[in-house]
Amino acid sequence: MDEVPELELSVTVRLLGPLEVAGTRGAVRLTGARQRAIVALLALRTPDVVSRSRLVAGLWGADPPPAAEQNLNRQLARIRLALAAVGLDGLLVTRDPGYALVLPAGSLDAGGFQAHLAAGRQAIEADYLATAAIELRVGLELWRGDPLSGCPVEDWGRAELARLREDLAGAIEALAETELRLGRPGRVADDLTRAVACQPGRERLWELLVIARHRAGQPAEALRAYRQARTALLDELGTEPGPRLRRLEMALLAGATELDPATAPPARVVRARPRPEPDEPACRQRQARLFLARLAQDARAEPGAGFAELRLATALRRYCRVPGHYREGGRWLRHALAR
């Protein structure tokens, strides 16, 4: 796909829940489900150009109605009017063979989530578990509900929706495993109790919930979680629990002291300072995040966090030049100080 250059606009597009588009003059009023779906599909592909045929497929699937092209034209015209009403005239552009949504860096919540997820996984691989937990939790904070809610999509749009849901589940699992390795089973159990209510057919979430309950000193609750998992899997998928979940049940009944050594806290967590990276925007963000982790340790060691916040602002000015990163820095500071 062709790409279009970024436009210097102040805009926020949120896909991780009901669609929201807002500029400096307020929220964009998209009055129809098709309008919301078009904006969502274009945002998922930004900054690439999406052809008209791809948009039609994403809206109506493989068998569009005869008037699909005319309907698409009407909806695009209404979207342009809605964007212009809040000063976002240049957001939707026409480029052969279709259209593109031009978004400034950091304005799309799905992009922010993916960045935090990637950074969290990299930190896990490097064994920076505390940093990984913050990255993953900040990324998960961007979610407000089911992605693309209120945006009826088909074909490749459904594939994108499934990918977002899979990434969400993967982030929840990665955070739970990391928190377990950090010795925080109570917090993990609370998070996973909410997660399995939303995704009852996700067996790995149930496995981690059983482990967390047991490690928190609640073997009876762990066994209850297994029975709830069995019921949910039979209702959702029509299948019995898999071998790993069944092994957890047998270990519980046998009175095992540890159910899953792979997620057990290590005897000692070694935190090493990362090697300096090239002076690129993404690298400066990672440097600032690691700097913030050290600030949080200082703030916990001394009464009050005001001095740490002042140093954080200085660090972000020095290391980060990405719009909206001050807001993310505030989230980082809150989570880091709560550790």
Side-chain angles (χ1 to χ4, degrees):
M1 287 287 184
D2 295 334
E3 292 187 359
V4 295
E6 290 184 355
L7 194 64
E8 289 299 324
L9 293 172
S10 179
V11 59
T12 301
V13 179
R14 306 175 78 187
L15 302 178
L16 305 180
L19 176 71
E20 292 181 6
V21 182
T24 54
R25 286 159 52 184
V28 178
R29 297 187 62 184
L30 300 171
T31 57
R34 294 291 183 205
Q35 294 176 33
R36 292 192 295 272
I38 290 169
V39 172
L41 291 172
L42 292 172
L44 285 169
R45 283 287 187 260
T46 186
D48 294 344
V49 174
V50 182
S51 68
R52 290 179 61 87
S53 60
R54 290 273 290 169
L55 273 177
V56 169
L59 291 169
W60 288 283
D63 189 23
E69 291 279 349
Q70 294 88 335
N71 192 320
L72 177 61
N73 290 336
R74 285 195 301 271
Q75 301 302 339
L76 286 166
R78 291 167 183 168
I79 291 170
R80 291 186 194 277
L81 289 174
L83 292 172
V86 294
L88 298 177
D89 313 58
L91 202 66
L92 176 60
V93 298
T94 302
R95 292 287 186 276
D96 189 53
Y99 308 90
L101 208 61
V102 184
L103 299 177
S107 59
L108 183 64
D109 63 350
F113 167 70
Q114 292 293 344
H116 284 297
L117 178 57
R121 286 173 171 167
Q122 289 173 0
I124 291 171
E125 291 177 3
D127 208 29
Y128 303 143
L129 299 183
T131 299
I134 296 175
E135 287 283 5
L136 293 168
R137 196 169 288 280
V138 171
L140 288 169
E141 263 200 356
L142 297 173
W143 285 78
R144 299 166 293 113
D146 197 38
L148 276 61
S149 178
C151 303
V153 294
E154 300 292 338
D155 195 67
W156 64 273
R158 284 185 175 272
E160 289 288 340
L161 185 57
R163 178 184 61 80
L164 286 172
R165 289 170 175 159
E166 181 65 26
D167 287 344
L168 170 61
I172 294 171
E173 291 169 4
L175 176 61
E177 291 167 357
T178 301
E179 296 275 26
L180 284 172
R181 291 176 63 192
L182 287 168
R184 304 168 183 170
R187 188 174 190 178
V188 172
D190 293 340
D191 290 342
L192 290 173
T193 299
R194 292 188 291 269
V196 295
C198 297
Q199 303 186 62
R202 188 86 177 187
E203 190 163 349
R204 180 57 178 161
L205 294 177
W206 286 108
E207 293 170 11
L208 292 167
L209 178 57
V210 170
I211 294 166
R213 290 294 187 198
H214 179 265
R215 199 168 291 165
Q218 302 170 333
E221 291 297 321
L223 194 57
R224 183 179 303 166
Y226 169 81
R227 290 168 181 160
Q228 291 172 337
R230 182 175 182 272
T231 300
L233 292 170
L234 285 171
D235 291 344
E236 291 287 319
L237 306 176
T239 62
E240 290 282 348
R244 289 190 303 185
L245 200 48
R246 291 199 302 271
R247 281 196 295 270
L248 291 176
E249 182 206 21
M250 289 187 289
L252 280 170
L253 294 174
T257 56
E258 177 54 64
L259 300 184
D260 184 38
T263 59
R268 181 185 178 190
V269 178
V270 178
R271 289 185 174 87
R273 185 171 181 175
R275 184 175 59 189
E277 301 183 66
D279 189 25
E280 295 292 337
C283 297
R284 290 200 298 270
Q285 288 189 39
R286 286 193 289 273
Q287 290 170 348
R289 289 168 183 151
L290 292 168
F291 184 83
L292 175 54
R294 294 194 294 273
L295 293 185
Q297 293 175 353
D298 295 342
R300 287 196 301 274
E302 301 175 6
F307 181 61
E309 290 174 356
L310 178 62
R311 291 180 62 198
L312 167 63
T314 303
L316 290 179
R317 289 192 192 97
R318 179 180 178 185
Y319 290 120
C320 300
R321 297 293 184 270
V322 177
H325 195 70
Y326 285 97
R327 184 171 61 247
E328 289 200 7
R331 292 196 192 103
W332 248 83
L333 182 62
R334 184 171 65 255
H335 283 298
L337 294 176
R339 296 211 310 274

